Amino acid sequence: MRLNVVLRYIGIVMLFIALFMLLSAGISYISSMDSAFYPLLLSALLTALLGIFPLIFVEHKGQLTNKEGFCIVVGSWLVACIVGMFPYLIWGGEFSLVNAWFESVSGFTTTGATILNDVEALPRGMQFWRMSSTWIGGMGVVMFALVILPSMGRNKMTLSNVELSSLAKDNYHYRTQIIVQILLVVYVGMTILSTLLLKLAGMNWFDALCHAMSACATSGFSTKNASIAAFNSPLIEMILTCTMAMAGVHFGLIYATVTGKHNNMFRSEVTRWYFAMLLGGSILIAISLFAADIYPTITSAFRHASFQFVSLVTTTGFATADSTLWTPFAILILLFGSLICACAGSTAGGIKINRLILAAKMMLVRLKLQQHPNAIIRIRLDGIVQENEMLHSVMIFIVAYMICIFLGSIVGALFGVDLMSSFSGAVASMGNVGPGFGEIGSMDNFSSMPATFKYTNSFLMLLGRLEIFGLIQLFFIKWWR
């Protein structure tokens, strides 16, 4: 493996991140040069210097190997989280070393969990940087960089294949360059549309843009301490619910639907199950809340239930209510949604409903084979026959996912965190959901958690965003042939 080549491409990603830091400094400058201007400007310069160094001293070489492509993608994510700490550390405030790391990882992995007790105390430039980091992470730090890179031939295909989940590729029937463009068009288009709708609904331009970026990235970072509850607007909640729900759909299917293609989301088996889960879970939670007299009418119960359930299933993490005070049944449904989450090919994390459907089909096939041992049964998803290798990887992923949550829960309990906070924190971090329950509920944060808990949950965020094996393989790189 050519380490110098890997560093060259990571340097390009760092330059891209520095550009967003500079843009955030511009927001700070417009806002009467608030206290975030110099930290952001210095961070941009430092990140740019670190990024340009390998570009100057490393010559451009030919075709990347798969091993190099993997190291570039994983290395870019890790380096992005490290340089993403710079603005927080230089600015100070609540950002100690562990808090800055947690906030940076939470942003780039689109988890949306925070250590901030007073988000509104942040200057606008720093708030915009939080949103920028999470918006970059929504599409993927490498996928974003690929858009602005010149033609790279097979190198672009190598990097995009590592960045994209294998499940996400089924609905794309285009060349790599077109796939990257589709992702960008859908992502930016959704962000612009959501910004305009939120502005019309009563938000100011800054809040509208920030919440649109966060919703489309399925992150959950907000400019308000009380999250979306601060606006107390059914119209804003409805717009964000629709935005979050669409951000949880495979972007290729959204593009196909808008352009009138045959393989659109109305014909997708996965999308139908996904929307059925959103509706069914919302109704069940609403009935539970209404029956427990938590909300006076079924309408208000459904309003809060649907927003909260869609928010957690799509791994966004916005909140309009303190869900830790809801019924045990409602909390169980919310935990289920936080485990399964949305569709592959979206900005959401979690196990993904694609894997749940395949796992259910495999169990049904197992039952049929018990009755007819010699039968040959093919498993299809959205009309595509799934190979045994794919089915095997689905089950391995689910098992590994649950093991990671179990280990994360043990670490939390070991360092004095209560069981509900420890378990739900592991679920929320692994799924890039954000809020959990207990002491880290939808109206709380991770500020009071032990430093070790923050570090382990940051690791879980990265594991979940890189779909476990992407990050783990980095530790066994010498085994590769």
Side-chain angles (χ1 to χ4, degrees):
M1 184 181 72
R2 299 165 297 177
L3 183 59
N4 56 342
V5 176
V6 172
L7 292 176
R8 178 183 173 85
Y9 282 96
I10 292 177
I12 294 172
V13 173
M14 291 175 71
L15 289 177
F16 178 74
I17 292 171
L19 182 64
F20 271 85
M21 287 179 179
L22 194 60
L23 179 61
S24 301
I27 297 292
S28 184
Y29 181 81
I30 295 172
S31 303
S32 304
M33 197 180 289
D34 61 37
S35 60
F37 177 74
Y38 288 110
L40 286 166
L41 184 61
L42 183 59
S43 299
L45 292 174
L46 182 58
T47 304
L49 284 173
L50 292 173
I52 205 168
F53 186 79
L55 294 180
I56 295 174
F57 295 100
V58 178
E59 63 177 329
H60 178 69
K61 297 199 176 179
Q63 177 62 36
L64 292 173
T65 65
N66 287 332
K67 188 175 182 179
E68 289 166 349
F70 166 80
C71 289
I72 289 168
V73 170
V74 177
S76 295
W77 276 97
L78 294 176
V79 169
C81 293
I82 292 171
V83 299
M85 298 167 60
F86 292 168
Y88 302 137
L89 289 173
I90 297 172
W91 186 76
E94 296 183 67
F95 294 113
S96 61
L97 181 63
V98 59
N99 285 351
W101 169 251
F102 185 91
E103 198 79 8
S104 180
V105 174
S106 179
F108 279 107
T109 58
T110 72
T111 304
T114 185
I115 50 79
L116 293 170
N117 289 302
D118 190 1
V119 175
E120 295 174 34
L122 290 180
R124 278 198 168 185
M126 196 62 66
Q127 288 193 345
F128 189 78
W129 166 242
R130 290 176 79 232
M131 299 304 170
S132 296
S133 67
T134 207
W135 197 64
I136 294 169
M139 183 171 168
V141 292
V142 176
M143 294 297 288
F144 243 133
L146 287 178
V147 176
I148 62 173
L149 289 176
S151 178
M152 294 169 54
R154 289 179 57 82
N155 286 345
K156 183 167 283 193
M157 182 178 69
T158 300
L159 294 176
S160 63
N161 283 342
V162 176
E163 180 88 270
L164 277 175
S165 164
S166 57
L167 282 173
K169 298 170 190 172
D170 285 347
N171 288 293
Y172 286 117
H173 307 285
Y174 308 97
R175 291 182 294 109
T176 300
Q177 178 66 31
I178 303 301
I179 291 175
V180 173
Q181 291 174 1
I182 288 173
L183 284 170
L184 182 69
V185 168
V186 173
Y187 196 48
V188 174
M190 285 177 57
T191 305
I192 293 173
L193 179 60
S194 181
T195 300
L196 293 174
L197 291 175
L198 290 172
K199 178 64 176 75
L200 291 173
M203 284 188 181
N204 61 50
W205 279 113
F206 182 77
D207 284 340
L209 176 59
C210 287
H211 285 92
M213 292 169 71
S214 187
C216 291
T218 59
S219 166
F221 273 165
S222 176
T223 59
K224 305 295 182 182
N225 292 327
S227 190
I228 307 305
F231 298 99
N232 192 28
S233 167
L235 181 57
I236 288 175
E237 292 168 22
M238 183 176 68
I239 292 169
L240 286 174
T241 300
C242 294
T243 302
M244 292 185 294
M246 290 306 298
V249 176
H250 192 294
F251 278 16
L253 291 176
I254 296 176
Y255 177 81
T257 305
V258 173
T259 55
K261 297 289 192 300
H262 178 75
N263 57 324
N264 55 57
M265 62 184 184
F266 299 110
R267 295 177 177 272
S268 169
E269 175 187 5
V270 173
T271 308
R272 289 197 298 269
W273 278 108
Y274 165 64
F275 283 119
M277 180 176 71
L278 292 182
L279 180 60
S282 300
I283 291 173
L284 289 174
I285 293 173
I287 292 172
S288 173
L289 298 179
F290 177 68
D293 287 329
I294 294 178
Y295 293 103
T297 65
I298 190 66
T299 305
S300 61
F302 184 78
R303 169 190 165 187
H304 292 286
S306 59
F307 185 90
Q308 210 78 0
F309 188 63
V310 171
S311 180
L312 292 191
V313 168
T314 59
T315 73
T316 309
F318 282 143
T320 57
D322 188 353
S323 55
T324 58
L325 303 177
W326 287 2
T327 64
F329 176 80
I331 291 174
L332 280 174
I333 299 294
L334 290 172
L335 278 171
F336 171 78
S338 300
L339 277 170
I340 304 305
C341 303
C343 310
S346 68
T347 57
I351 291 175
K352 306 283 195 314
I353 194 167
N354 307 59
R355 291 190 178 95
L356 180 67
I357 295 170
L358 287 174
K361 289 187 175 185
M362 280 187 274
M363 287 190 285
L364 288 175
V365 167
R366 182 70 260 174
L367 290 174
K368 291 178 180 178
L369 289 175
Q370 289 287 101
Q371 300 171 346
H372 309 284
N374 297 322
I376 298 176
I377 305 173
R378 298 289 186 186
I379 295 178
R380 296 175 181 269
L381 187 65
D382 280 338
I384 300 172
V385 175
Q386 303 297 308
E387 301 296 333
N388 288 334
E389 182 180 352
M390 171 63 78
L391 298 175
H392 179 71
S393 67
V394 164
M395 296 311 296
I396 291 295
F397 181 88
I398 293 175
V399 171
Y401 193 93
M402 300 308 296
I403 289 174
C404 290
I405 289 175
F406 177 70
L407 293 176
S409 302
I410 289 178
V411 171
L414 186 64
F415 285 88
V417 180
D418 68 274
L419 187 58
M420 175 57 84
S421 300
S422 182
F423 173 70
S424 65
V427 171
S429 297
M430 193 68 195
N432 306 132
V433 175
F437 296 92
E439 295 181 38
I440 52 172
S442 54
M443 290 297 172
D444 294 302
N445 56 62
F446 283 73
S447 61
S448 62
M449 294 294 104
T452 305
F453 187 71
K454 294 174 185 175
Y455 280 123
T456 55
N457 277 42
S458 299
F459 183 68
L460 289 178
M461 293 176 199
L462 285 167
L463 274 176
R465 187 62 180 84
L466 294 170
E467 298 219 322
I468 303 176
F469 299 105
L471 184 59
I472 289 178
Q473 284 185 84
L474 190 65
F475 299 101
F476 301 99
I477 200 75
K478 289 184 178 179
W479 290 10
W480 288 32
R481 293 290 184 267

